[in-house]
Amino acid sequence: MLDIFIDALIDSFKVFIICLIFFILVEFITNNIKFKFDKNSNLSPIVGASFGIIPQCGSSVFLSEKFIARKITIGTLIACFIACSDESIPILLSSSERLMVIPLILVKFIFGFTVGYTVDFFYKGGDEALEFDVDSCNCHNNLERYLIHPLVHSLKILGFVFVINMIFGGIIYLVGEDSFKDFLNTNRALTPLFSVIIGIIPNCSSSVIITQMFISNAIPFAALVAGLSMNAGLGIIYILKSKNTRKDATIIFVILILSSLLIGYGIYFGSYVF
């Protein structure tokens, strides 16, 4: 068991370093970008999906607030939610599966704006224009914004990753690596569904759990995409807090579940065909 603890600590610390560097860079980039956004623009879902690529919970929360104010369409918000990967990107970059980052981003980005356009085809919004800055945290000074906030965020992920590594390490130790792999292979077809269920949890930790399962070879790429397409951090919670958008939240929730299962099983069965 000591080996499990040491391995989990080392792997988690690697993730912490990558996350810290990554989030500092993200803060510098996102706090120096301006967008002029026309609600009825043909590019709106693509812009929404582009926001989703930004690897942190703040992106989905930010656009959720704009949706509550009716500044963006429901399809734009859904595109962002589906494209979101949260903490999965820096975690993957710190692992042996780093080459899967680009396919993950591309698949979720394309699928995100595709679903967004489909939804907006049936839902027409207003034509208000908005110019805004991307602001990932309500920090009062540069030290807090560019160092303290990324550090705290990275420490939280360190805790999540360490716990998940210990759990998976303990399972493999108690059950046996061969038995664990046999169980997963036997139930492989259910892994996209399992991932979507985990992704329903409205918290950044969900993306950490799903990503660590993928790195541990517990789930295939199809399940990784499905789970991360469902999970949008705290975005859905922000929509629920407003009485005027609770009905929209239900619609978005159902669309996310169906879309995530569609893309997950599409990739899963497609991998056997191709």
Side-chain angles (χ1 to χ4, degrees):
M1 290 296 291
L2 181 60
D3 291 338
I4 296 175
F5 176 82
I6 295 174
D7 290 340
L9 189 61
I10 293 174
D11 291 341
S12 301
F13 186 72
K14 291 178 182 177
V15 172
F16 168 75
I17 296 299
I18 295 295
C19 284
L20 181 59
I21 296 173
F22 208 86
F23 290 136
I24 289 175
L25 291 175
V26 167
E27 288 295 339
F28 272 108
I29 294 172
T30 58
N31 285 291
N32 290 281
I33 298 178
K34 277 192 174 182
F35 293 91
K36 189 170 184 178
F37 200 175
D38 185 343
K39 183 178 178 180
N40 270 352
S41 170
N42 292 329
L43 296 177
S44 293
I46 293 180
V47 175
S50 299
F51 264 82
I53 293 177
I54 301 173
Q56 60 166 267
C57 303
S59 304
S60 63
V61 171
F62 182 78
L63 285 195
S64 293
E65 292 175 341
K66 298 307 173 187
F67 177 71
I68 292 174
R70 300 305 186 186
K71 298 297 185 180
I72 62 173
T73 65
I74 190 171
T76 302
L77 183 62
I78 289 174
C80 173
F81 281 2
I82 291 176
C84 275
S85 295
D86 283 345
E87 284 73 19
S88 64
I89 302 302
I91 292 175
L92 285 173
L93 287 173
S94 66
S95 73
S96 59
E97 299 290 344
R98 61 181 62 89
L99 293 179
M100 299 307 297
V101 168
I102 294 179
L104 175 66
I105 291 176
L106 286 177
V107 169
K108 280 164 56 62
F109 175 72
I110 295 173
F111 186 66
F113 72 68
T114 299
V115 175
Y117 277 118
T118 303
V119 173
D120 276 348
F121 181 78
F122 298 98
Y123 179 90
K124 302 298 181 182
D127 57 357
E128 297 177 67
L130 173 69
E131 184 172 314
F132 56 85
D133 296 311
V134 181
D135 192 356
S136 58
C137 75
N138 296 317
C139 305
H140 301 291
N141 55 64
N142 288 335
L143 178 63
E144 184 180 355
R145 181 185 300 275
Y146 297 123
L147 181 60
I148 304 301
H149 183 259
L151 179 61
V152 172
H153 199 173
S154 300
L155 286 172
K156 289 181 180 179
I157 296 174
L158 171 64
F160 289 141
V161 172
F162 178 73
V163 171
I164 298 302
N165 281 336
M166 285 294 294
I167 291 174
F168 277 104
I171 291 174
I172 293 175
Y173 176 81
L174 295 174
V175 177
E177 186 172 354
D178 292 336
S179 299
F180 184 65
K181 287 182 178 180
D182 289 341
F183 173 79
L184 293 172
N185 289 329
T186 302
N187 298 277
R188 209 70 168 173
L190 292 176
T191 53
L193 175 60
F194 291 156
S195 292
V196 169
I197 292 174
I198 295 174
I200 289 175
I201 303 171
N203 191 285
C204 300
S205 61
S206 301
S207 63
V208 175
I209 294 172
I210 294 168
T211 307
Q212 287 299 124
M213 288 175 66
F214 173 70
I215 293 172
S216 302
N217 197 33
I219 60 173
F221 181 72
L224 174 70
V225 174
L228 294 179
S229 295
M230 179 66 224
N231 181 257
L234 297 173
I236 196 73
I237 297 298
Y238 270 75
I239 302 175
L240 285 170
K241 76 176 185 178
S242 173
K243 293 181 180 179
N244 296 330
T245 53
R246 285 174 186 169
K247 181 179 177 180
D248 295 315
T250 302
I251 296 173
I252 292 171
F253 189 73
V254 172
I255 292 175
L256 285 177
I257 291 178
L258 296 178
S259 299
S260 299
L261 290 173
L262 176 64
I263 186 65
Y265 279 105
I267 294 175
Y268 180 82
F269 290 115
S271 63
Y272 286 98
V273 175
F274 300 102

